[in-house]
Each structure stands twice: as C-alpha cells, then as structure tokens.
Amino acid sequence: EVQLVESGGGLVQPGGSLRLSCAASGFTFSNRWMGWFRQAPGKEREEVAAIHTSSALTYYADSVKGRFTISRDNAKITVTLQMNTLKPEDTAMYYCAAGRFAVRVRAFIYWGQGTQVTVSS
C-alpha cells in the first residue's frame, strides 16, 4: 500500500524556518512527481511546490518562490520542503502528495495525512 508520511511541522515565529519531510513507501519513487500542498481553515487546498523524481523539473507557487525549496533524495525515498522566512499566511496543514508513475503531467493521486505548520508571534 502506498504510504506518504509527513513530519517536521510545528510552531515558529514569523521569519523563522522549518523543514518538512515526506517519507514514501509502497510504490516506485522514481519517475513521478512528488509535491507539497497546504490547506488553511476556510481556504482551498493550494499546491505549494513539486519536484519530478527523475528530472530537474520543479514547480513553486508564486506565494512561496524565493522562500521555499523542494528537494528529493531518491536513495532515502524522501521529499523535503525547506521553508524559510515564514509568514503567518503560511500557517496551514501541509500534505505530501505523489503523482502517477511515468506521467510527465504534474498531477497527484496519493496523499499523506498532513503535518501542521503554525507561524505566529
């Protein structure tokens, strides 16, 4: 069974940093998109960043460009999201996601259960 397990969330002050990690199992990690989404209370789910596990392709939402960095470690079968210069509006539940194998379109079908990020003074 496909499993995506997020970790690294927590409470940070504005301007601080967090690193989220997604441990994947139960599927072929290579040759697919992996991504991070977030959802705040009362708001729509938002794609934050994505990376293709067998290419240099990445995606970032405009709201996080220059602050967040997505990376992968195919040997460790993990995807990380380094979040710097955090703002209160970054507060949300963050979800790891995976796309279909060998599909170059950036779309996602597998989801983790999420890790909470709260940015507050």
Side-chain angles (χ1 to χ4, degrees):
E1 180 67 26
V2 172
Q3 289 193 358
L4 302 172
V5 181
E6 303 95 334
S7 62
L11 174 65
V12 296
Q13 296 188 72
S17 298
L18 280 175
R19 176 173 286 186
L20 305 184
S21 181
C22 173
S25 63
F27 70 106
T28 300
F29 188 68
S30 63
N31 201 14
R32 69 175 79 226
W33 283 97
M34 298 291 297
W36 287 95
F37 289 71
R38 66 186 181 188
Q39 188 167 26
K43 296 185 178 180
E44 294 289 300
R45 184 181 63 189
E46 175 189 21
E47 186 177 4
V48 176
I51 188 166
H52 197 275
T53 55
S54 296
S55 78
L57 293 173
T58 59
Y59 165 84
Y60 292 97
D62 288 342
S63 59
V64 307
K65 284 181 179 177
R67 299 189 298 121
F68 291 11
T69 303
I70 190 168
S71 62
R72 57 175 168 84
D73 188 331
N74 289 16
K76 294 182 179 179
I77 319 177
T78 58
V79 176
T80 62
L81 184 68
Q82 178 65 46
M83 305 186 295
N84 298 325
T85 319
L86 283 161
K87 305 174 181 179
E89 52 262 44
D90 295 318
T91 296
M93 186 72 78
Y94 282 71
Y95 299 91
C96 182
R100 290 182 172 88
F101 177 72
V103 175
R104 299 177 77 170
V105 175
R106 198 181 76 256
F108 302 89
I109 60 168
Y110 302 112
W111 302 88
Q113 291 188 286
T115 185
Q116 178 68 38
V117 172
T118 302
V119 185
S120 180
S121 299

